[in-house]
Amino acid sequence: MREVAFIKQNKEKWLEFEQGFSNKEKKSPDDIANLHIKIMNDLVYAQTYYPKSKVTLYLNKLAKTSFDKVYHSKRKDKNPLLYFFFDKVPLLSYKYRKYIYLSFIIFFCCFFIGLLSTFNDDSFARQILGNNYVDTTLENIESGDAMAIYKGGSNWGTFIGIYDNNQRVGLNMFLSGLFLGIGTAFYIIYNAIMVAVFQAFFYQHNSFFDSIKGIWIHGTYEIFSMIIESAAGYIIGASILFPGTLKRFESFKIGIREAFYIFISTIPFTLVAAILEGYITRYSNIMPTILCFLIIGISLVSISYYYLILPFKVARKHQIY
């Protein structure tokens, strides 16, 4: 369809929308959402066939107005904090789901590289974990308590130290996205290999089951959050490298703001991981096995649901496909 025909066909509808949004007439959330969908359909069509036309700019402004109306009507009666964690972040996770999937792929590829390297090179564990850690852990395994390294210090002190360390690592992954995502990739590669070496080392010394019980009580939230934080870093890098139809700086501003929201959403999980490591992990060798795996299972299901399933449900609720 030619641009002139497209405008003629839809002009009255757009004017009606514009007048409807500008007046003080109250519309139901469903009516506003339906208007928004129609405007978005026209905008997508215009962006496809008339990308540099003024009509595309006009529809983009109209779509932004309708978008604001939709989200205002959805959240006006909702607690801002609940809206952030149960609407905004899931919608962003849906929007950037490919970066989350990419982060998982990179992590697990590097994890398997770490496993293969450890099983094929006896010195690899010492190169990654350090001689002091390896020697201390070997002594703990010989004494019958492979997870003894997690029992040092007070509960409170361990919690504070672990949270500070994990949050620093997460922040570094996020901010390293400013280096076109390359810095983020470096952090996730190193940490994925380190986790793999850690597990392979315990397997080689017949303490694999004890390590699973102990490490993943806190590690489930910790590692999963790390993967999400790295995805936030990739979003920043992509906003710089691939601005699309936006100016590069505008793309960057949107990318870093939305990546920051995703990063913020990982903080509660990182906090709970530190609490578990400071107060629960140290007792994994005397806790009932079923309780250990119950904690691990609840952690895995809850964080997987939040970042991998809930986004689709919220997107469907908001009629975003």
Side-chain angles (χ1 to χ4, degrees):
M1 184 188 298
R2 292 187 177 182
E3 184 179 352
V4 175
F6 175 69
I7 295 173
K8 186 176 181 180
Q9 178 178 316
N10 296 285
K11 183 177 179 180
E12 291 184 7
K13 178 178 62 176
W14 298 339
L15 290 174
E16 181 184 347
F17 291 162
E18 191 172 11
Q19 292 170 2
F21 286 130
S22 62
N23 63 30
K24 297 182 179 179
E25 177 187 353
K26 290 186 178 180
K27 294 181 179 292
S28 71
D30 289 338
D31 289 339
I32 295 174
N34 289 332
L35 290 175
H36 176 65
I37 291 170
K38 291 178 180 178
I39 294 170
M40 288 302 299
N41 288 338
D42 289 343
L43 175 60
V44 170
Y45 186 90
Q47 287 176 329
T48 303
Y49 295 101
Y50 327 114
K52 298 182 180 180
S53 171
K54 290 184 178 180
V55 71
T56 304
L57 294 175
Y58 168 76
L59 287 172
N60 190 52
K61 290 180 180 178
L62 201 58
K64 184 179 184 304
T65 301
S66 65
F67 177 88
D68 291 340
K69 289 283 186 179
V70 169
Y71 280 85
H72 175 73
S73 65
K74 293 282 185 182
R75 70 189 182 195
K76 62 183 179 181
D77 296 323
K78 184 174 287 190
N79 181 286
L81 192 62
L82 292 178
Y83 170 77
F84 177 80
F85 281 104
F86 294 102
D87 280 277
K88 192 174 189 68
V89 171
L91 285 173
L92 290 175
S93 296
Y94 179 81
K95 177 181 179 180
Y96 294 110
R97 60 192 181 279
K98 292 182 180 179
Y99 295 95
I100 293 176
Y101 301 155
L102 174 64
S103 188
F104 272 102
I105 290 170
I106 293 175
F107 179 87
F108 282 109
C109 284
C110 295
F111 181 87
F112 285 115
I113 289 173
L115 289 180
L116 292 174
S117 299
T118 307
F119 289 133
N120 288 283
D121 183 353
D122 293 336
S123 65
F124 191 70
R126 290 184 176 275
Q127 294 175 31
I128 299 298
L129 302 177
N131 289 322
N132 183 58
Y133 182 88
V134 170
D135 291 336
T136 301
T137 302
L138 286 174
E139 292 175 3
N140 293 334
I141 291 173
E142 290 177 4
S143 66
D145 189 359
M147 296 291 101
I149 198 166
Y150 290 102
K151 298 180 180 179
S154 65
N155 299 90
W156 179 255
T158 300
F159 157 65
I160 294 296
I162 292 298
Y163 175 73
D164 178 67
N165 177 73
N166 291 347
Q167 201 60 74
R168 284 175 183 271
V169 171
L171 186 61
N172 285 336
M173 285 186 172
F174 167 70
L175 293 177
S176 293
L178 293 169
F179 300 100
L180 308 181
I182 297 174
T184 299
F186 170 79
Y187 274 106
I188 198 67
I189 288 170
Y190 176 79
N191 281 279
I193 291 175
M194 186 169 66
V195 171
V197 171
F198 198 79
Q199 288 289 194
F201 175 77
F202 280 102
Y203 177 83
Q204 289 176 323
H205 294 86
N206 302 314
S207 298
F208 181 71
F209 186 72
D210 289 336
S211 72
I212 290 291
K213 285 174 55 182
I215 297 168
W216 294 101
I217 284 177
H218 62 271
T220 304
Y221 277 158
E222 184 179 306
I223 301 303
F224 205 118
S225 296
M226 190 184 297
I227 293 172
I228 300 300
E229 289 157 351
S230 67
Y234 299 144
I235 291 168
I236 296 174
S239 71
I240 300 171
L241 290 172
F242 311 110
T245 58
L246 298 174
K247 292 183 179 179
R248 199 173 301 276
F249 185 64
E250 288 298 317
S251 174
F252 169 70
K253 286 196 298 184
I254 293 171
I256 195 168
R257 181 177 65 247
E258 296 186 336
F260 180 68
Y261 292 152
I262 293 175
F263 168 74
I264 289 294
S265 73
T266 66
I267 292 178
F269 294 108
T270 302
L271 183 64
V272 173
I275 292 172
L276 290 172
E277 187 167 355
Y279 290 89
I280 307 297
T281 297
R282 63 179 61 216
Y283 304 114
S284 63
N285 65 324
I286 60 174
M287 289 168 56
T289 299
I290 190 171
L291 180 57
C292 293
F293 283 100
L294 181 62
I295 295 172
I296 294 169
I298 290 173
S299 299
L300 181 60
V301 170
S302 60
I303 196 168
S304 297
Y305 177 83
Y306 185 73
Y307 287 108
L308 302 179
I309 299 174
L310 183 62
F312 284 89
K313 292 188 173 184
V314 175
R316 193 177 301 116
K317 182 181 74 174
H318 286 270
Q319 299 180 343
I320 298 173
Y321 301 98

